[in-house]
Amino acid sequence: MDRWEREGLRSANNGMRNQLEHLLDSFERQQGRLADAFRELENARTQASSPDQSVEVTVDAAGVLTGLRLTAAAMRQTPEQLSSAIVDVARAAARQAQQRTEAIAAPVDAEFDDLPDLPDISPDAPSLHEIRAFFRGDNEDSPR
């Protein structure tokens, strides 16, 4: 190996080292932000009510029903009207929860866009972009 080849390898090695250091620095900065976002998502609750206020639901960040309140006016509705109102309000709360979750995650998610992907540094490494897409449901294999 001649001097020029060694210099080329050193240069490539330094470039890879700089990319890895940048990646690690970014991950360290984001670790606290991720923990805060997860904590906020764990505690997030969204409420929605029917137009007449007879049905109120509470959902968590995933849109899972955690609370249901029915007033006396709700009990005067037919079973079909009441069930429809509950479903409609639960859907509205789930949509609001999804929007809130996206708003909480957006700043952290945007920071990942600036990071190099691991296969750019090491061809056999898993792709962070593919992992993010999977958890977002951006791929065709994920359930919708």
Side-chain angles (χ1 to χ4, degrees), residues 16 60 89 117:
M16 187 182 296
D60 65 12
V89 174
D117 202 4

Side-chain angles (χ1 to χ4, degrees), residues 12-29 115-123 125-126 128:
N13 187 27
N14 286 337
M16 187 182 296
R17 182 178 297 124
N18 288 340
Q19 283 183 316
L20 283 172
E21 286 175 4
H22 171 70
L23 188 63
L24 290 173
D25 288 344
S26 295
F27 280 140
E28 287 175 11
R29 281 192 308 272
L115 296 177
D117 202 4
L118 293 179
D120 297 338
I121 298 169
S122 176
L128 294 176

